[in-house]
Amino acid sequence: MSRLNSLRSRMHRRWTVPVVSGTLIVLSWLAGYLLSGRTAEITHDVFMVAAAVVAGVPVVRSAYQALRVRTIGIDLLVSVALIGALAIGEYWEAAAVTFLFAVGHALEDATLAKTRSALAGLIELAPTTATVVRDGVQVEVAAHEVLPGELVVVKHGGKIPVDGDVSDGHAAVDEASITGESIPVEKAPGEKVFAGTILADGFLTITTTNTGADTTLARIIHRVEEAQEAKARTQQFMEKFSKWYTPGIIVLALVAGLITGNIELALTLLVIGCPGALVISVPVALVAGIGRAARDGVLIKGGEFLETAAKVNVVALDKTGTITQGRPEMTDLIAFGSWTADEVLAWAARAEAGSSHPLATPVLKQAEAQGITVPAVPEAVETVPGQGVISQYRQGERDGRSIAVGNPALLHSVGALSAEASAAADQLAGQGRTPLLVALDNEAIGAIGVADQIRPEAAELVAGLHRSGVKKVIMLTGDTERVARAIAAEVGIDDVRASLLPEDKLDAVRDLQHEGHTVAMVGDGVNDAPALALADVGIAMGAAGSPLAVETADIALMTSRLSLIPHAIGVAKRTGNVMRQNIWIALLTVGALLAGVLFGGVTMAIGMLVHEASVLIVIVNAMRLLRHRPDRPTEANPSRRAVVRQPETTQDEPVALTR
C-alpha cells in the first residue's frame, strides 16, 4: 500500500507545477487586457517570465543532474531553449514551451500509472490481516505474522491471507487474482488455496504453508515488478540511439543558427527535436503488455521474453499433461486362446505390483475394482527401460511363474511375441491406445489397452495457436509413432516427434532452431526442463502451485488451462505491433516537425505542443493493450473419446517407448 500512496502523492506533486505555471500565464494575458501602456507590458512580461521560471526550474535541475553523470537528455534541450528564449526576449515562447513540457510530464505520469494498474491491483489485493486460531481462540494478527502450520479462519466475503491447505469447510473461492479465471473454484478439505483470493461463499479453516513474501501472490507481484523493469532488446537499442540522437540535434540546431543567424530557429529545432515519444515508445508498450498478461494469469519474465514471444512461429507441445489429461485409464482387455479376461488382468496386475511406471496404476486400479487379490510385492522384478516389466511370482507350491507385461519389443525379447499378440498391439495402437501385451511363462496370453483422455480444449488450443500467427504446432512425446499420430490427427497437430527421451526433445528443439524457427516449448517444467531451457521461449503450465516455475519459466501460466497458451502469444504479438506503431509515430512526428521548422511555420510553442501530443498518442496507443480482449479459445466439446497416453518418464529414469 505504501508504494501506491507514494505513486499517488508523486502524481499530485507533478500537477502542482503545470497548474501554477498555467495560472501565471492566464494572469499575464489578463494583465494585457485589463491594464494599458507600459504598465500592461511590464506586468505581462513579469507574469510570463514567472510562468517560465516555475515550469522551467525543475527541467533545468533535471538537466544539470543528468549532465553530472555525463548524460545528455531531453531536459537539456528544453533547458537550452528556455534560457535562449528568455535571453532574446521571447517570454511567451519560453513560458509556453516549459508549461507544455510540464503538462506533458504530468499526463505521462498519469497514463503510465494506468499502464501499471495490473501491478497496483495485485498489490491492493494483498491482505493485511488474518484471523488465526491460537489457544482455541480466534485472534486477528497482521498477515505476515502468521506462522506456518497455524490455522487461519476465513469467512464469507473475506480475503485469504496465506497460502495453505483447506483443513475444514467448503467454499467457492474467486481465484481471478492468481489464475485470471473469473469463475469461482469449489474448495474442499485437502485442496490448496492462495493468498489474495476471495471467499465468494462459504467458510474455510486453512492450515498455513506460506506467508508474507513466500506466498504465490507475493511471488507474482515480485515477478511482474521485475518484468516491467526489464528491458527488451528494442528498448535497449532505442536508448543507445537517443544517446547519439540528442547530441546530434544540438549540433544541428547550432549549425542552423550559425548559417542562418536566426537564434529563434535554432532554439525551435532544439524543442521539436526532443526524442521523448521515441524513448518512451517501447517501454510503455512493454509495461502495458506485461500488465495485461498478468491480469489474465500469464506471468512474462520480462520485456526481452515478451519481444521474443511475439516472433514465435513454432510451438512444441509436450503430450502428457498438456494435450492429454495425464491420468491413464484401462480401456481394453483382450484374452488370447483359452485364457479368460480376468486371468489376463490378474497376471498383469501381479507383475505390475512391483513396477513404479505410471502405466501400472490403471492396471492395478482395474484389478482392485474387479476384486482381484494382488500380492503387495512380487518375488523378483526386472524393469526393462522403454519396454516394460518382467516379474517372478510363486503360486502355492508350484515353481515360480515368469510374467512379462510391456510392448511388443519386450515380448519379442523373451520369445513370446505371437502373430495374435502383434495384431492386437497394432489394433490398439491404431485406435490411439497404448498396448500392454501380457505373457506368462513365455506365452502371450492377452493384451491390455491403456488410454489417456485428450483434454477437451486440445483441438481449440491448436486452432488458437494458428490464429495467433503460429505456423506449425509440433508434439514431442515418448509415445510410439502410431499412438502419437493418432492423437495428433485427433487435435489437428501439424507434426509429431515420437519415441523421445528428454534429451531427444532437447535435440528436436535445437533442430527447429537451426531451421530458422523461433520456438516456444510448452511443458510441465520438470521432465521437459532441458527443452524448456533451450527453447527461445519456455512456457510452464500450472505455475500457481509451483514456486520454481514462477521464478524460472520465461512465461508461466498460473493455471493449466490450454487457452492461456495462444492468449499469451497473442498478447506478445499485439505488444510487438504496438511497439512498432509507436516507433513510427515518434519518427514521423519528429520528421514532420523538422520539415515544418526548416520550411517555416512551426514555432517553439507549436513544436512543443505537437511533441507532447505525440508522447500522449504513443502512451494512449500502448494503453489499448490493457483492454480485455475476448480472444481466449472456447472450451471444446468435452465428450471427445478417450485416447492413449504414454508417460515419458518414470520417477527414476526416462522411458523412450510404449510398454
Side-chain angles (χ1 to χ4, degrees):
M1 280 307 273
S2 61
R3 187 182 292 121
L4 290 179
N5 291 334
S6 174
L7 176 63
R8 293 190 185 103
S9 63
R10 189 167 68 250
M11 287 177 63
H12 290 317
R13 289 198 304 272
R14 175 66 74 179
W15 279 110
T16 302
V17 170
V19 167
V20 173
S21 178
T23 302
L24 290 170
I25 290 174
V26 171
L27 291 175
S28 175
W29 287 337
L30 289 175
Y33 284 112
L34 298 177
L35 302 177
S36 61
R38 184 64 179 167
T39 302
E41 183 179 339
I42 293 174
T43 306
H44 174 275
D45 289 347
V46 167
F47 278 125
M48 204 62 82
V49 170
V53 170
V54 168
V57 166
V59 182
V60 174
R61 186 186 302 119
S62 296
Y64 172 70
Q65 291 171 346
L67 281 174
R68 290 184 63 184
V69 293
R70 298 181 180 179
T71 300
I72 298 176
I74 301 170
D75 290 328
L76 179 61
L77 299 183
V78 176
S79 298
V80 173
L82 164 66
I83 295 169
L86 290 175
I88 63 176
E90 294 290 344
Y91 303 135
W92 155 242
E93 295 287 357
V97 165
T98 51
F99 168 72
L100 290 170
F101 192 69
V103 170
H105 266 273
L107 290 173
E108 185 178 317
D109 262 4
T111 48
L112 278 175
K114 178 65 176 176
T115 64
R116 293 182 181 270
S117 59
L119 179 59
L122 287 173
I123 294 172
E124 288 182 333
L125 282 170
T128 57
T129 61
T131 302
V132 185
V133 177
R134 292 179 178 173
D135 299 326
V137 179
Q138 292 185 15
V139 181
E140 187 171 292
V141 300
H144 67 272
E145 293 178 354
V146 181
L147 302 176
E150 284 195 301
L151 289 179
V152 173
V153 174
V154 185
K155 303 173 184 178
H156 172 79
K159 287 183 182 178
I160 297 176
V162 297
D163 284 1
D165 301 315
V166 177
S167 59
D168 190 26
H170 291 77
V173 177
D174 180 357
E175 295 185 333
S177 59
I178 302 294
T179 66
E181 300 296 336
S182 58
I183 301 175
V185 180
E186 293 295 327
K187 297 292 183 178
E191 296 187 336
K192 291 185 177 298
V193 291
F194 305 104
T197 57
I198 300 172
L199 212 66
D201 185 29
F203 177 91
L204 292 179
T205 302
I206 300 163
T207 302
T208 303
T209 56
N210 294 299
T211 64
D214 295 327
T215 64
T216 299
L217 177 63
R219 289 195 299 271
I220 292 173
I221 292 172
H222 177 67
R223 172 56 64 209
V224 173
E225 201 168 32
E226 281 189 337
Q228 291 186 337
E229 296 299 329
K231 296 179 180 179
R233 286 187 292 270
T234 302
Q235 182 179 353
Q236 293 170 357
F237 170 78
M238 296 305 298
E239 290 181 354
K240 290 178 181 178
F241 172 76
S242 67
K243 288 181 180 179
W244 292 96
Y245 172 86
T246 304
I249 289 295
I250 294 176
V251 172
L252 174 64
L254 182 61
V255 170
L258 291 174
I259 292 175
T260 64
N262 188 337
I263 298 177
E264 187 174 351
L265 171 65
L267 296 176
T268 305
L269 282 174
L270 287 176
V271 170
I272 63 93
C274 293
L278 195 60
V279 171
I280 203 173
S281 59
V282 174
V284 71
L286 291 176
V287 167
I290 290 171
R292 175 70 264 173
R295 283 185 179 181
D296 297 331
V298 178
L299 295 186
I300 301 175
K301 196 171 186 177
E304 179 181 352
F305 300 100
L306 186 143
E307 191 174 29
T308 303
K311 302 173 184 176
V312 165
N313 57 9
V314 172
V315 173
L317 301 171
D318 173 44
K319 176 176 70 65
T320 304
T322 302
I323 299 170
T324 63
Q325 294 181 350
R327 295 189 298 272
E329 298 178 356
M330 206 181 89
T331 57
D332 300 87
L333 183 56
I334 304 170
F336 303 152
S338 61
W339 294 92
T340 66
D342 285 348
E343 289 173 328
V344 173
L345 179 59
W347 285 112
R350 288 164 186 157
E352 296 287 18
S355 173
S356 62
H357 196 285
L359 288 184
T361 302
V363 175
L364 293 171
K365 285 177 61 178
Q366 187 63 30
E368 181 182 359
Q370 294 185 202
I372 297 174
T373 302
V374 179
V377 181
E379 285 194 357
V381 178
E382 178 189 356
T383 298
V384 183
Q387 295 185 9
V389 63
I390 301 174
S391 299
Q392 301 297 321
Y393 174 72
R394 181 177 295 279
Q395 188 177 30
E397 298 298 323
R398 298 182 58 180
D399 293 336
R401 313 292 297 274
S402 176
I403 317 165
V405 181
N407 60 21
L410 179 68
L411 263 65
H412 182 270
S413 68
V414 300
L417 184 61
S418 64
E420 188 176 14
S422 293
D426 288 343
Q427 178 186 355
L428 290 170
Q431 294 172 347
R433 272 78 164 161
T434 297
L436 301 180
L437 299 179
V438 184
L440 180 63
D441 295 332
N442 300 334
E443 176 193 352
I445 64 173
I448 294 173
V450 178
D452 187 8
Q453 187 82 15
I454 285 182
R455 296 180 65 164
E457 67 272 30
E460 183 57 33
L461 160 67
V462 178
L465 287 172
H466 286 147
R467 284 196 300 269
S468 67
V470 174
K471 295 180 180 178
K472 183 184 292 186
V473 180
I474 297 177
M475 181 171 70
L476 306 181
T477 178
D479 220 332
T480 60
E481 186 81 16
R482 290 194 63 184
V483 172
R485 292 205 174 276
I487 295 175
E490 181 82 8
V491 299
I493 287 175
D494 303 307
D495 193 10
V496 172
R497 310 286 172 90
S499 300
L500 302 179
L501 295 167
E503 53 265 35
D504 296 327
K505 293 182 179 181
L506 189 70
D507 292 336
V509 171
R510 185 179 291 111
D511 290 343
L512 290 167
Q513 290 173 328
H514 287 166
E515 293 171 9
H517 298 296
T518 302
V519 182
M521 174 69 193
V522 182
D524 58 15
V526 181
N527 176 45
D528 305 302
L532 285 168
L534 179 64
D536 298 288
V537 179
I539 302 176
M541 298 184 61
S546 172
L548 182 63
V550 171
E551 294 300 325
T552 60
D554 300 332
I555 297 178
L557 311 181
M558 301 311 293
T559 71
S560 294
R561 187 174 178 181
L562 297 184
S563 60
L564 286 180
I565 300 172
H567 179 69
I569 293 176
V571 168
K573 289 184 180 294
R574 289 198 301 276
T575 303
N577 290 336
V578 169
M579 285 165 52
R580 287 187 290 273
Q581 291 166 7
N582 282 353
I583 291 171
W584 277 110
I585 289 170
L587 290 175
L588 290 174
T589 300
V590 171
L593 285 174
L594 282 173
V597 171
L598 294 176
F599 294 103
V602 174
T603 63
M604 267 196 291
I606 293 175
M608 181 54 71
L609 179 62
V610 174
H611 169 265
E612 293 302 333
S614 70
V615 171
L616 292 179
I617 290 172
V618 160
I619 295 174
V620 171
N621 188 44
M623 288 176 63
R624 294 189 299 115
L625 294 167
L626 294 174
R627 293 184 304 180
H628 176 70
R629 286 171 56 110
D631 58 354
R632 293 194 195 179
T634 55
E635 301 294 337
N637 183 358
S639 63
R640 302 171 74 92
R641 67 173 179 84
V643 292
V644 72
R645 167 189 184 258
Q646 168 58 41
E648 286 77 10
T649 63
T650 65
Q651 187 175 358
D652 302 314
E653 58 188 341
V655 177
L657 303 174
T658 319
R659 283 177 32 181

